């Protein structure tokens, strides 16, 4: 979006970039609790009822769709770039935010790919008894457990990084009171 005065009102992310951001946020905010709940019910409580199975199917299907959403988002980002940094930021704030953003993009790709490879190896590709996700690897249960373990730890690392990202946004919005929050807010 083009602003009238680039000093008073720094350029914001485009409507498309903001839609990509907030739909991703909504999906990740569903994926993490569903992942933890289904794995707790299945692995810890050994409760393999309809609810657990439906949570697994929902997690796999939404995660699979989210992967392609992230591929589209990254393609758009690489083609269109981002608005110039908010002009009042210190050099270390610019460097830190770029690092966190690119780490988030990397994890948003790696986490669902490892989930998909894990369920291919298991194999546990079934979605609500209706269809199977395409397999990426031949069955190997030991390897599946290792890959899904890494998937879970990287997902939790991503949740931690997201907390850092949200804390930084709140710092900009409430303490520093600069234009960072407005750049990504839906009504910017
Ligand atoms: C699942 C959670 C989240 C993820 C994965 C995420 C990821 C990202 C990424 C990758 C960027 C960089 C965009 C780019 O330059 O292409 C970004 C920017 C931004 N995000 Fe998030 N975000 C999340 C949650 C949030 C939340 C909850 C807020 C608000 C409270 C927020 C506010 C912002 C803002 C204001 C920017 C723009 C920063 C700037 O101007 O440099 N994000 N986010
Ligand atoms: C960004 C997308 C994703 C996020 C944020 C995510 C997050 C998580 C989390 C937090 C857990 C729980 C880990 C634990 O119990 O410690 C989990 C488990 C799991 N995820 Fe994902 N996941 C994503 C995508 C996927 C995809 C695409 C698949 C498969 C197609 C998948 C398959 C699984 C499976 C099978 C488990 C259970 C592992 C087990 O029972 O030990 N995930 N995920």
């Amino acid at each position: 979006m083009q602003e009238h005065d680039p000093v008073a009102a720094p350029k914001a992310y485009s409507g498309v970039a903001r839609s990509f951001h907030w739909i991703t946020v909504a999906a990740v905010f569903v994926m993490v609790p569903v992942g933890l709940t289904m794995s707790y019910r299945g692995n810890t409580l050994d409760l393999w009822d309809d609810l657990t199975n439906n949570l697994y199917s929902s997690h796999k299907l939404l995660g699979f769709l989210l992967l392609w959403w992230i591929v589209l988002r990254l393609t758009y980002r690489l083609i269109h770039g981002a608005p110039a940094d908010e002009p009042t930021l210190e050099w270390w704030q610019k460097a830190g935010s770029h690092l966190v953003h690119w780490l988030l993009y990397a994890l948003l790709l790696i986490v669902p790919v490892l989930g998909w490879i894990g369920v291919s190896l298991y194999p546990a590709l079934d979605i609500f008894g209706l269809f199977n996700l395409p397999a990426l690897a031949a069955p190997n249960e030991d390897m599946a457990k290792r890959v899904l373990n890494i998937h879970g730890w990287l997902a939790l690392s991503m949740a931690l990084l997201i907390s850092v990202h949200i804390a930084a946004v709140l710092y900009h919005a409430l303490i520093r009171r600069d234009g960072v929050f407005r750049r990504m807010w839906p009504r910017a």
Side-chain angles (χ1 to χ4, degrees):
M1 193 185 79
Q2 204 66 46
E3 300 284 348
H4 304 299
D5 180 348
V7 177
K11 273 173 90 186
Y13 281 88
S14 69
V16 176
R18 278 177 277 141
S19 306
F20 272 129
H21 180 269
W22 291 106
I23 290 171
T24 308
V25 174
V28 171
F29 277 24
V30 171
M31 287 301 290
V32 173
V34 169
L36 290 171
T37 309
M38 71 193 196
S39 149
Y40 177 71
R41 288 176 66 88
N43 300 323
T44 310
L45 302 180
D46 203 19
L47 199 60
W48 293 101
D49 58 1
D50 281 353
L51 176 59
T52 306
N53 287 330
N54 288 336
L55 288 173
Y56 267 90
S57 283
S58 312
H59 183 87
K60 289 187 279 184
L61 182 57
L62 182 59
F64 182 75
L65 296 175
L66 182 56
L67 170 62
W68 298 110
W69 179 253
I70 299 298
V71 169
L72 277 183
R73 178 175 177 185
L74 260 177
T75 309
Y76 176 88
R77 173 65 164 82
L78 294 173
I79 294 173
H80 295 273
D85 288 314
E86 208 277 345
T88 66
L89 297 190
E90 306 287 341
W91 70 268
W92 57 270
Q93 292 174 319
K94 294 179 189 171
S97 68
H98 291 177
L99 180 69
V100 168
H101 293 164
W102 286 108
L103 277 174
L104 283 173
Y105 276 133
L107 287 168
L108 284 169
L109 274 183
I110 295 168
V111 167
V113 166
L114 286 182
W116 186 9
I117 294 176
V119 292
S120 302
L121 287 163
Y122 215 87
L125 293 158
D126 173 83
I127 305 288
F128 296 115
L130 296 175
F131 61 92
N132 280 355
L133 295 179
L136 287 181
N140 180 338
E141 202 177 321
D142 280 349
M143 185 74 92
K145 287 181 177 154
R146 261 180 273 159
V147 170
L148 287 174
N149 193 28
I150 300 172
H151 166 77
W153 281 111
L154 286 184
L156 294 180
S157 313
M158 181 163 79
L160 197 73
L161 206 57
I162 288 169
S163 311
V164 171
H165 175 63
I166 294 174
V169 171
L170 290 178
Y171 164 72
H172 284 287
L174 303 176
I175 297 172
R176 210 168 176 273
R177 292 172 186 271
D178 54 24
V180 167
F181 187 67
R182 273 199 306 277
R183 288 153 58 88
M184 192 53 103
W185 189 241
R187 280 177 293 167

